[in-house]
Amino acid sequence: MRQDDGAEFISASLGRTQKGRVSLAHYYTEPSHTFAEYLLVPGYSSTECFPANVSLRTPLVKFHRDEEPALTMNIPMTSAIMQAVSNDTMAIALAKQGGISFIYGSQSIEAEAAMVSRVKNYKSGFVSSDSNISPDTTLGGVLELLAKTGHSTMAVTEDGSANGKLVGIVTSRDYRVSRMSLDTKVATFMTPFEKLIWADADETTLTQANDLIWERKLNMLPLIDKNQRLRYMVFRKDYTDNKENELELTDSNKSYIVGAGINTRDYSERVPALLAAGVDVLCIDSSEGFSEWQRLTIQHIREEYGDTVKVGAGNIVDGEGFRFLANAGADFIKVGIGGGSICITRETKGIGRGQATALIDVCAERDKYFKETGIYIPICSDGGIVYDYHMTLALAMGADFLMLGRYFSRFDESPTDRVMVNGTYYKEYWGEGSNRARNWQRYDLGGSKKLSFEEGVDSYVPYAGALKDNVETTLSKIRSTMCNCGALTLPEFREKAKLTLVSSTSIVEGGAHDVILRDKLGRD
């Protein structure tokens, strides 16, 4: 609310006067709050309320009330657009669990597109081969390609192209580096076509291909056309992954869904390259989204591609910012400024807002916009998550999904090094606003290629192991809490959730207190 007592001042030296009236800044009378200042109050739970019945499916992009969203996720988790978090390895691991990674854009266009391509080609029912050699390729060339793609199974075609005439296959079992010269040609050690089991690309379904793989105990089945040209490859491991990861997120071609970050500078070159690589959704990576630069970026994408290309925007912290990006055409909107664990924007620039208050405000405006227009724009809560239960609170407050940096940076699949400090393993983690990231495009500096000051730090986070194990534990907590509130879906959870502010004393009460923990005494 605007605090303005209408007082008349005689002295013009007080500044900003109009007809003797002093214009004051806009003041919010209520303090902004963090997630740690809230708790959920349990509600009635029916006999149907148990975790296995809970669905965490959530929309990723906007949709009309009479339509289904074009993109959804099976879990409400995305990984942050950060160098220290989201590369192709992270994208594959998270898609297996039902979420989406946004590969970081603070790298060359070619490098980012290559990461997207590796994700899209990693998991498909019918895979287009990306590791192709000719019979004249040497063992040295095979090893170079292996280092580049990480794929040990290579198609040997007459011309070395992905869709050339298939003449053989090379796997790691076909050669021994210690016993063969690097000049040895593939033709001498490949498995020739005559000894391969293959299938007709035009007549074989994915189910039939998998059946043949299991019946003949194959690791890979090539699919060829009537001219013996390679069309696809089907891998045993893809079928196994599908059975192990029931929530995995794939497109109509059975490829993993992946997102990518873009900036407000080189989007006219970066966007087409990412689309050519197969990206499913884009997100503008910026320190502050209430900006004409973001509107112009979205406008360009709409003019070039219409509504088929999905792009999220942000970050903002109030309803006014939401309206701006909604009117600009954003497909989802990110909330949060200064709440990230490595972000120092608030102490450096004095801008931001408590994440819980910002989220509640924006979600209320989202719901109001939906009633007015019939268009639902998903909200992504970005920042402020310290404990797993904060994720549950964010979802109860209205977030459709979360963007997480520190959380995912701790896992094996993040792109940073694991280091040992004083006998304990950590992972490196740095902010996009740090000098280490050198992500100047993120800050709308009008073409400047130098950060005048940092808005992020370079740090370590405790190493936590594999993504799959940690995500499963976190989701178990979320599902359990939803059951405590009598909800089996996220929309139902938002409707039924009852939130209460807590005092500093009750925060202490909520943890272990008035006891001496056994591990503090060094006992088992």
Side-chain angles (χ1 to χ4, degrees), residues 201-242:
D202 295 317
E203 298 182 0
T204 306
T205 66
L206 181 58
T207 299
Q208 291 170 334
N210 281 321
D211 288 343
L212 187 56
I213 285 174
W214 284 92
E215 290 170 5
R216 304 301 292 270
K217 298 180 179 179
L218 306 174
N219 287 323
M220 186 277 296
L221 177 71
L223 278 71
I224 60 175
D225 64 16
K226 62 182 180 180
N227 296 315
Q228 200 176 313
R229 290 184 173 276
L230 179 64
R231 293 271 295 279
Y232 306 107
M233 302 166 81
V234 179
F235 289 87
R236 171 190 287 264
K237 67 178 179 63
D238 289 347
Y239 178 84
T240 304
D241 285 348
N242 181 265

Side-chain angles (χ1 to χ4, degrees), residues 119-125 238 241-242 248 250 254-256:
V119 177
K120 298 306 292 186
N121 287 311
Y122 177 86
K123 169 67 172 70
S124 294
D238 289 347
D241 285 348
N242 181 265
E248 68 177 359
T250 60
K254 303 299 182 182
S255 295
Y256 285 135

Side-chain angles (χ1 to χ4, degrees), residues 151 258 346 393:
H151 298 158
V258 61
R346 295 179 188 176
L393 288 170

Side-chain angles (χ1 to χ4, degrees), residues 450-462:
K450 182 180 179 182
L451 289 173
S452 300
F453 53 86
E454 290 185 292
E455 292 188 44
V457 299
D458 194 348
S459 64
Y460 296 106
V461 290

Side-chain angles (χ1 to χ4, degrees), residues 269-465:
E269 295 84 28
R270 190 173 293 267
V271 170
L274 294 172
L275 293 175
V279 74
D280 297 283
V281 59
L282 304 169
C283 184
I284 302 173
D285 179 31
S286 175
S287 62
E288 206 279 298
F290 200 165
S291 161
E292 183 68 6
W293 297 114
Q294 293 220 5
R295 190 193 69 78
L296 292 173
T297 302
I298 298 171
Q299 177 181 301
H300 171 82
I301 292 173
R302 294 289 174 253
E303 290 174 349
E304 291 291 320
Y305 308 102
D307 293 330
T308 59
V309 173
K310 306 303 180 183
V311 55
N315 290 18
I316 48 89
V317 293
D318 62 10
E320 189 178 4
F322 170 87
R323 285 281 175 166
F324 175 80
L325 291 178
N327 293 333
D331 286 296
F332 66 84
I333 294 174
K334 291 200 299 169
V335 176
I337 294 177
S341 61
I342 41 69
C343 183
I344 55 172
T345 296
R346 295 179 188 176
E347 62 184 85
T348 302
K349 297 173 67 175
I351 64 171
R353 198 178 191 190
Q355 186 66 10
T357 298
L359 184 60
I360 292 169
D361 187 355
V362 172
C363 288
E365 195 67 25
R366 183 266 320 273
D367 294 343
K368 183 179 178 182
Y369 182 85
F370 178 56
K371 290 180 181 179
E372 294 172 2
T373 66
I375 298 172
Y376 186 91
I377 302 179
I379 295 300
C380 170
S381 180
D382 179 15
I385 301 295
V386 180
Y387 303 108
D388 285 355
Y389 85 90
H390 290 172
M391 300 185 202
T392 312
L393 288 170
L395 296 170
M397 291 172 181
D400 295 278
F401 58 95
L402 316 167
M403 182 167 280
L404 305 163
R406 182 196 62 84
Y407 178 84
F408 285 115
S409 70
R410 305 171 299 144
F411 303 149
D412 289 322
E413 294 82 0
S414 73
T416 63
D417 292 330
R418 187 181 71 167
V419 298
M420 180 175 284
V421 180
N422 296 327
T424 301
Y425 279 114
Y426 295 87
K427 293 275 283 186
E428 294 181 310
Y429 181 44
W430 60 91
E432 290 298 296
S434 67
N435 280 328
R436 180 173 181 175
R438 299 184 181 278
N439 188 4
W440 63 271
Q441 300 99 325
R442 192 172 191 264
Y443 292 87
D444 298 332
L445 301 180
S448 171
K449 295 188 177 182
K450 182 180 179 182
L451 289 173
S452 300
F453 53 86
E454 290 185 292
E455 292 188 44
V457 299
D458 194 348
S459 64
Y460 296 106
V461 290
Y463 167 67

Side-chain angles (χ1 to χ4, degrees), residues 22-42:
V22 175
S23 178
L24 301 178
H26 187 117
Y27 291 91
Y28 290 95
T29 57
E30 180 187 344
S32 63
H33 298 285
T34 67
F35 293 130
E37 296 176 79
Y38 285 91
L39 286 175
L40 281 158
V41 177

